[in-house]
Amino acid sequence: MSTRATARQKPTSPLASISPKKIRVLCVDDSRDITAMLKMVIDAEPDMVCVGCLASADNLIAEARRLSTTPSTPSPTPLVIILDATMPGKNPLEAMRELAAAIPQVRTIIYSGHDDPGFVARAIDAGAWGCVSKREEPAAITRAVCEVWAGRAC
């Protein structure tokens, strides 16, 4: 029997294969139809990739932390989150406040049926980089992702 140590292969994260040049997007909405549409729209863009979908904000911070730190990039990397404003479970605005404090490089876009300017102001106060109405065409989502990724509020 050989006493020589054998090299072990490190498990590879599915995120490791994603180009660092692609904008990484996490979609959070309690409607499976909405998350499926968001994933399809994001993945259709050559410079974007949907890295996951959640049905509530309950595990948002843990998932954002997991997705923004990979074995090849141990320090947090930017991530864009598209977050439904009204869902069961944890209040999305409260989750966004906690997220902004815990992982400041995450950029969140509220995706909502609310057009009330007061609601939009509360979302911005909670840490949203922008808001997109669910009444807008899907291209509004990808434009908003590009804007916040570039560091501009939308």
Side-chain angles (χ1 to χ4, degrees):
M1 178 174 244
S2 171
T3 58
R4 193 175 78 197
T6 59
R8 292 188 196 175
Q9 292 231 337
K10 291 183 180 178
T12 315
S13 164
L15 300 176
S17 64
I18 296 172
S19 166
K21 295 181 194 268
K22 285 197 175 206
I23 301 170
R24 299 161 60 245
V25 181
L26 174 64
C27 302
V28 186
D29 197 296
D30 58 322
S31 166
R32 286 183 190 209
D33 291 339
I34 297 285
T35 54
M37 181 275 299
L38 290 170
K39 180 173 176 27
M40 183 180 71
V41 168
I42 297 299
D43 286 344
E45 293 295 317
D47 56 346
M48 296 179 194
V49 62
C50 178
V51 293
C53 296
L54 295 175
S56 77
D58 293 344
N59 297 315
L60 179 59
I61 295 169
E63 187 67 0
R65 188 169 278 130
R66 184 185 76 79
L67 291 170
S68 64
T69 307
T70 65
S72 60
T73 57
S75 60
T77 58
L79 175 71
V80 175
I81 296 175
I82 300 173
L83 179 64
D84 183 14
T86 310
M87 293 183 287
K90 186 172 196 151
N91 179 295
L93 296 184
E94 183 57 35
M96 192 170 34
R97 248 185 223 96
E98 293 173 14
L99 185 63
I103 315 170
Q105 58 278 15
V106 168
R107 298 170 183 164
T108 305
I109 299 166
I110 288 291
Y111 188 54
S112 173
H114 296 284
D115 289 332
D116 170 37
F119 175 80
V120 172
R122 287 191 304 278
I124 300 298
D125 287 346
W129 280 66
C131 295
V132 174
S133 172
K134 288 185 176 181
R135 293 176 185 85
E136 293 186 60
E137 78 281 357
I141 298 162
T142 55
R143 282 193 305 270
V145 168
C146 288
E147 286 296 308
V148 302
W149 182 256
R152 297 182 294 267
C154 64

